[in-house]
Amino acid sequence: MRAGWTIVGLLAAGAMTVVGLNLWVVMATHDRIATSPLTCQSREVGIVFGTSHGLVGGGSNPHYQARLDTAAQLYRLRRVSNLLLSGDNRTRYYNEPMTMWRDLRARNVPQEFMTLDYAGFSTFDTLVRAHKVFGVDEAVLVTQPWHLPRALFIADALGLEAVGCPAISERQPPGLKLMLREWLARAATVGDLYLWGRKPRFLGPQESLPTPVLSSHSSSHSSDKHVMSPAEGSVAAGAGQQAAVSRDMADGVDVTDAANAADTPDPHALAR
């Protein structure tokens, strides 16, 4: 009987801890999340978090589509100079950054507005690499409203000044299972940042983002783009595949080939 009450007490304490940490994360970030893409603030860089473009049971992932729709809208509204597409590149047949690049091109976003990061295996890894590898100091984060508090909280801890632009998935609001996962992820994030000192799975050498495209367009009709050789582009893709691990933010699993020869971006647009 006593052991049973002890277990109940521990469970209650654990639940209260999770609730308390979630309140901390949400309250610390809520005032920097826009109400809609139309009210999102302007930043030189927009970080788009990767996720599967397909659902386990088939069909398109509405969370993925909402992120790309929002990113394309930021481009059309001239709110960003560069979209950093960061995601998992675990195998040849699963490549989130390449898929995002392809689908944003289909939304009429020019390739000079996009940079690919193949080692964004998690929310944490994406933000660490954006700050330490790509030298991003300010950014607008593009993802779902329920994901933004955790992403902004991590950005704060890293010294990355960020605001949130919500990608609203109207066709599929977050269910109970997804929200429970997010609540647990927020609590674990506090431990990652302040207790056990989590490190990114793959960091790599520093890279330079392109010269701000919007700024250069405003002063002239040509853009100064960062140039990488085809060899560098190949190294970039290989590095992401060799560091393959699962994300902490999976909205579904899809094994469809992300790109074919006709949909391959210019190697000059690639980045490690």
Side-chain angles (χ1 to χ4, degrees):
M1 191 70 172
R2 182 178 300 174
W5 281 111
T6 300
I7 293 174
V8 171
L10 290 174
L11 291 175
M16 292 177 63
T17 299
V18 170
V19 171
L21 293 176
N22 269 266
L23 289 174
W24 179 19
V25 171
V26 171
M27 295 302 295
T29 58
H30 77 281
D31 60 341
R32 284 175 288 132
I33 299 176
T35 56
S36 76
L38 292 175
T39 61
C40 293
Q41 298 183 32
S42 298
R43 291 291 188 275
E44 291 290 353
V45 179
I47 301 175
V48 187
F49 293 86
T51 187
S52 173
H53 74 284
L55 297 173
V56 175
S60 177
N61 181 357
H63 301 317
Y64 169 86
Q65 298 299 338
R67 293 180 194 185
L68 267 61
D69 287 343
T70 303
Q73 188 170 22
L74 288 177
Y75 156 71
R76 288 193 295 270
L77 294 172
R78 305 182 71 81
R79 301 284 174 81
V80 294
S81 289
N82 192 282
L83 291 171
L84 179 58
L85 312 179
S86 181
D88 194 340
N89 176 33
R90 67 183 71 173
T91 72
R92 174 185 175 186
Y93 301 103
Y94 189 88
N95 190 324
E96 291 175 351
M98 190 80 75
T99 305
M100 288 192 287
W101 180 93
R102 182 193 65 192
D103 290 345
L104 282 170
R105 291 290 291 117
R107 288 168 168 82
N108 298 315
V109 178
Q111 70 174 22
E112 60 263 30
F113 282 82
M114 296 183 281
T115 300
L116 280 63
D117 176 15
Y118 293 96
F121 302 120
S122 68
T123 303
F124 178 82
D125 286 39
T126 287
L127 291 168
V128 171
R129 286 178 53 80
H131 189 47
K132 294 188 175 182
V133 174
F134 293 94
V136 177
D137 294 320
E138 297 182 355
V140 54
L141 310 185
V142 180
T143 186
Q144 271 64 45
W146 40 264
H147 183 208
L148 280 171
R150 176 159 59 100
L152 288 168
F153 192 82
I154 295 172
D156 289 347
L158 298 175
L160 172 58
E161 185 179 331
V163 293
C165 189
I168 301 173
S169 312
E170 296 180 356
R171 290 196 298 114
Q172 184 174 327
L176 179 61
K177 182 178 180 181
L178 182 56
M179 287 308 302
L180 179 60
R181 281 189 58 190
E182 185 60 27
W183 274 56
L184 295 175
R186 290 173 188 167
T189 290
V190 176
D192 289 340
L193 297 173
Y194 299 111
L195 294 179
W196 39 82
R198 179 176 175 178
K199 302 295 182 183
R201 301 181 192 277
F202 180 79
L203 200 58
Q206 291 186 339
E207 297 291 345
S208 298
L209 290 177
T211 299
V213 178
L214 294 180
S215 299
S216 60
H217 279 180
S218 64
S219 59
S220 68
H221 295 290
S222 63
S223 62
D224 181 14
K225 293 186 290 183
H226 169 65
V227 176
M228 294 183 65
S229 69
E232 287 179 308
S234 299
V235 171
Q241 292 174 356
Q242 292 171 7
V245 292
S246 60
R247 300 182 318 283
D248 70 352
M249 185 63 198
D251 298 322
V253 177
D254 184 89
V255 294
T256 304
D257 192 352
N260 54 37
D263 293 320
T264 303
D266 187 330
H268 293 176
L270 303 183
R272 277 191 283 270

